[in-house]
Amino acid sequence: MTVTSQLIHDKIREITSPGQFFELEDREVAGRRVRVYKHAPATLIDVLQASRAHGAADFIVYEGRRLSFDRFFAEADALAATLQREHGIGKGDRVAIAMRNCPEWSVAFTAAALVGAIVVPVNSWGKMEELRFALTDCGARCLVCDAPRYGLLAEVHDLLDVDVLVAGAGAEFRPGPRVHTFEGALARGESGAYTVPPAGPDDPSVILYTSGSTGFPKGVLHRHIAITQSLMNMYFLGFLLAQLEGQREFRGGATRETPILTVPLFHATGLLSGLILPLQTAQKVVMMYKWDSSKALELIEREKVTGFTSVPAILKDLLSHPDFDRYDTSSLIRVSAAGAATPAGLPELMSEKLGDPSRSTGYGMTETMAVTSTMSGVVYDLSPKSAGVVSPIIDIRFVDGAGRELPPGQQGEIQLRSVVCTPGYWEKPEANAQLFTQDGWMRTGDVGLIDGDGFLHITGRTKELVIRGGENIYPGEIEDVAYRHPAVQEAVVFGVDDPRMGEELALVCYLRPGTVLDAATLRAHLGERLAAYKVPRYIALSTMPLPRNASEKLHKLNVKAAFLEGHYRVE
């Protein structure tokens, strides 16, 4: 079967039609009519409770530890009992989690959800002020954290009205009136019972904090229905691909789906693909204390890892490891890289090192529970430079600077309307007024278009727009061209004030280790592919990797600030 864009869209209509498992219907959610998957679970609680059926199968592998589904739920139930009985956590209370990816993170999330709390995953890479801000902003009644995060908050804990459970505290830890060990909480709750409060699809479920590239982050509220519809959308995408290319068989000794988790659980993608989806579908999740390409290769070989989802930089780090060929990575059948531009040579490197895995990418936001567009396998192969096909549960439009809707194919700001869109930022009425239009569309701040084949392309950010001498320039276009040079590993473009032109363009690059490139050569590369006015006036080559935010995306504001402070040498 020859896969074409028309076939893809025909197949989507077929499998979402009445009577199909992925049938769509209009439903009223919080006073608005939205399109939903008719047969999706109603709430996150339904997903969690159904996952108990997986029994003795391994669920989490972490630093020499193995937790079966039975053991995982035994710990989650014990913690839930303690949260409810000793800490008084009930429906709607906020329980925050601040720790690295580890089994305790997943146990804490599940336990808090089961007692009806709104779970608040907090950026574990943040400093004291960021952690303190999040706890205060969401009004957390309880914090479950690891020892390093508690170390950041210990001096200011008395100023915070929050109970704390510390995992892995160590022998020197001294509990206090409102500070206890996670392990003790499990022990005290082992034989205790608790009540699961009734939950509805419209009830709030999680608050996910944005990456905070512009000051302190904002808490993005999501309802139960957004999580379950996002989950159903992942199943839909897998089924669509199977319909187009057939079912991919396990290989390399793998007998079950086994993803390796390289993105943080406090991120929407990590939460869905590293906890909620594996729970429902009986996957084995391989966790790492921190990213280490050598350790990852060992785990892929030993645990027969089948899926790898990350940002392009981490994927490239894995595939470029000097000892890559010493390890058996033949079990990998699915590889996804998103969240940043794809460096030159990465697709070819994937083919060289992994044969023919199912590649995927997509576009989503914290505000949409990671849903907007995606593509995998043969769909990806049709348009690898796009962001994929828009989800059936997403309405999308493109508007100009005055908010007027643009005809199909024209580039404009992307606005969305969907069941997975946040109802708003937590207690931020002014920010919410900026987020939504008067007719209920959510402004993304991203610029893009849908091409003639129905694929979404992301071309820039409205806030990153540079106006040079009256010409509108989107930095993403220039970054994309910079990445086509094989020596460029990371690239950030931004505007700097200029008395004559208003703004001039600046480009900061970090080169692939072992490569050589000067500014003149890079400028010539850009000049051959871009209009002259789009070639940056300033080019700086960094000797160190560029800073990233909690989502592993390049932190453009920090790069720009460092540039303006003279930390990068301009050539």
Side-chain angles (χ1 to χ4, degrees):
M1 176 174 60
T2 301
V3 176
T4 64
S5 59
Q6 185 60 53
L7 176 62
I8 293 168
H9 296 294
D10 289 344
K11 186 60 69 174
I12 290 172
R13 283 189 289 271
E14 176 188 328
I15 64 179
T16 58
S17 62
Q20 300 297 309
F21 182 66
F22 294 100
E23 177 182 349
L24 300 172
E25 70 173 9
D26 288 338
R27 189 181 301 171
E28 185 169 301
V29 176
R32 287 188 179 275
R33 299 295 293 179
V34 291
R35 193 164 55 255
V36 301
Y37 292 112
K38 181 177 181 178
H39 303 298
T43 70
L44 174 61
I45 303 304
D46 295 323
V47 174
L48 297 177
Q49 298 291 45
S51 303
R52 297 176 184 273
H54 304 317
D58 282 346
F59 174 40
I60 297 175
V61 176
Y62 175 77
E63 299 294 315
R65 296 164 56 194
R66 289 179 184 273
L67 267 73
S68 67
F69 284 87
D70 282 341
R71 183 60 202 165
F72 174 82
F73 276 106
E75 293 191 6
D77 288 337
L79 182 60
T82 298
L83 287 174
Q84 193 174 78
R85 293 186 307 168
E86 295 185 9
H87 298 277
I89 301 300
K91 187 170 182 177
D93 290 332
R94 273 76 67 202
V95 173
I97 305 172
M99 61 179 96
R100 286 179 176 270
N101 287 356
C102 60
E104 289 80 4
W105 199 108
S106 300
V107 168
F109 181 94
T110 303
L114 287 171
V115 295
I118 300 174
V119 192
V120 187
V122 177
N123 178 359
S124 65
W125 299 345
K127 302 301 182 184
M128 184 272 287
E129 284 300 327
E130 294 168 278
L131 291 172
R132 181 179 180 180
F133 169 82
L135 294 174
T136 304
D137 182 68
C138 74
R141 288 195 56 188
C142 183
L143 166 67
V144 184
C145 65
D146 54 18
R149 256 44 64 181
Y150 180 67
L152 293 175
L153 290 170
E155 293 184 4
V156 298
H157 179 225
D158 289 344
L159 303 176
L160 302 172
D161 184 21
V162 61
D163 295 342
V164 181
L165 300 177
V166 184
E172 298 179 357
F173 176 77
R174 294 292 178 267
R178 300 191 68 178
V179 184
H180 305 278
T181 66
F182 178 90
E183 294 76 13
L186 292 186
R188 293 192 302 277
E190 271 188 6
S191 57
Y194 66 95
T195 301
V196 179
D202 293 358
D203 289 342
S205 179
V206 298
I207 297 173
L208 299 173
Y209 276 87
T210 59
S211 298
S213 59
T214 54
F216 281 115
K218 295 183 286 291
V220 179
L221 182 66
H222 278 297
R223 304 182 178 100
H224 280 267
I225 194 171
I227 296 175
T228 57
Q229 289 288 319
S230 298
L231 188 65
M232 194 69 167
N233 193 65
M234 297 174 83
Y235 299 150
F236 159 77
L237 294 167
F239 186 76
L240 171 65
L241 187 60
Q243 293 288 297
L244 294 170
E245 67 173 25
Q247 191 69 38
R248 286 195 175 239
E249 300 295 330
F250 290 124
R251 66 188 190 192
T255 57
R256 59 186 292 208
E257 291 288 359
T258 304
I260 186 168
L261 185 61
T262 66
V263 293
L265 284 162
F266 59 76
H267 185 273
T269 301
L271 178 61
L272 286 166
S273 65
L275 176 58
I276 299 175
L277 176 69
L279 265 175
Q280 189 169 50
T281 57
Q283 296 181 8
K284 178 178 70 174
V285 179
V286 178
M287 290 186 179
M288 302 174 67
Y289 177 73
K290 64 178 180 180
W291 172 250
D292 180 295
S293 53
S294 296
K295 183 70 175 292
L297 287 168
E298 293 174 11
L299 289 168
I300 291 169
E301 179 178 83
R302 188 181 76 213
E303 300 296 334
K304 307 302 180 188
V305 169
T306 59
F308 188 100
T309 299
S310 193
V311 294
I314 287 181
L315 177 57
K316 194 163 189 177
D317 184 49
L318 178 78
L319 300 178
S320 302
H321 193 284
D323 294 330
F324 183 92
D325 294 333
R326 291 179 49 198
Y327 293 90
D328 180 3
T329 58
S330 60
S331 59
L332 278 172
I333 57 174
R334 295 182 181 85
V335 176
S336 177
T342 301
L346 181 56
E348 294 78 9
L349 190 61
M350 290 169 62
S351 296
E352 175 192 344
K353 297 294 187 179
L354 300 175
D356 184 31
S358 177
R359 296 179 290 182
S360 62
T361 191
Y363 164 71
M365 308 169 65
T366 306
E367 288 85 348
T368 63
M369 204 63 204
V371 178
T372 299
S373 65
T374 193
M375 57 184 180
S376 300
V378 291
V379 184
Y380 176 98
D381 294 338
L382 276 180
S383 186
K385 292 186 178 181
S386 78
V389 177
V390 175
S391 165
I393 57 172
I394 292 278
D395 288 328
I396 188 168
R397 72 180 185 183
F398 303 85
V399 301
D400 63 16
R404 295 183 293 259
E405 186 169 357
L406 296 168
Q410 288 195 23
Q411 176 177 271
E413 184 197 2
I414 298 168
Q415 296 186 350
L416 305 173
R417 188 171 58 189
S418 174
V419 65
V420 296
C421 287
T422 176
Y425 299 120
W426 180 258
E427 297 187 346
K428 296 286 187 295
E430 292 183 2
N432 290 334
Q434 293 296 316
L435 181 63
F436 295 102
T437 65
Q438 290 186 344
D439 55 349
W441 289 79
M442 191 186 82
R443 299 181 175 99
T444 68
D446 291 313
V447 177
L449 57 86
I450 289 182
D451 65 22
D453 291 323
F455 286 86
L456 177 65
H457 296 258
I458 309 300
T459 57
R461 290 277 299 166
T462 56
K463 291 181 180 179
E464 294 171 2
L465 176 70
V466 176
I467 303 177
R468 180 188 181 275
E471 295 290 343
N472 292 352
I473 305 171
Y474 290 104
E477 178 186 3
I478 303 163
E479 291 165 356
D480 182 63
V481 174
Y483 277 120
R484 296 180 203 172
H485 195 290
V488 174
Q489 180 149 317
E490 297 175 340
V492 168
V493 174
F494 48 87
V496 295
D497 292 339
D498 183 80
R500 187 171 69 90
M501 302 301 293
E503 286 184 287
E504 282 284 5
L505 291 162
L507 164 63
V508 179
C509 287
Y510 170 63
L511 304 183
R512 291 179 58 195
T515 62
V516 177
L517 181 67
D518 57 35
T521 304
L522 180 54
R523 185 172 278 110
H525 166 82
L526 297 170
E528 292 171 0
R529 296 162 176 82
L530 293 168
Y533 71 90
K534 295 182 180 180
V535 176
R537 177 177 178 180
Y538 307 106
I539 294 180
L541 302 178
S542 174
T543 58
M544 299 291 291
L546 303 183
R548 293 177 177 271
N549 64 19
S551 303
E552 273 299 301
K553 297 178 183 179
L554 292 171
H555 201 307
K556 296 191 173 188
L557 288 184
N558 283 2
V559 175
K560 180 176 180 177
F563 176 88
L564 295 175
E565 292 168 4
H567 295 300
Y568 301 121
R569 183 170 61 88
V570 178
E571 298 186 14

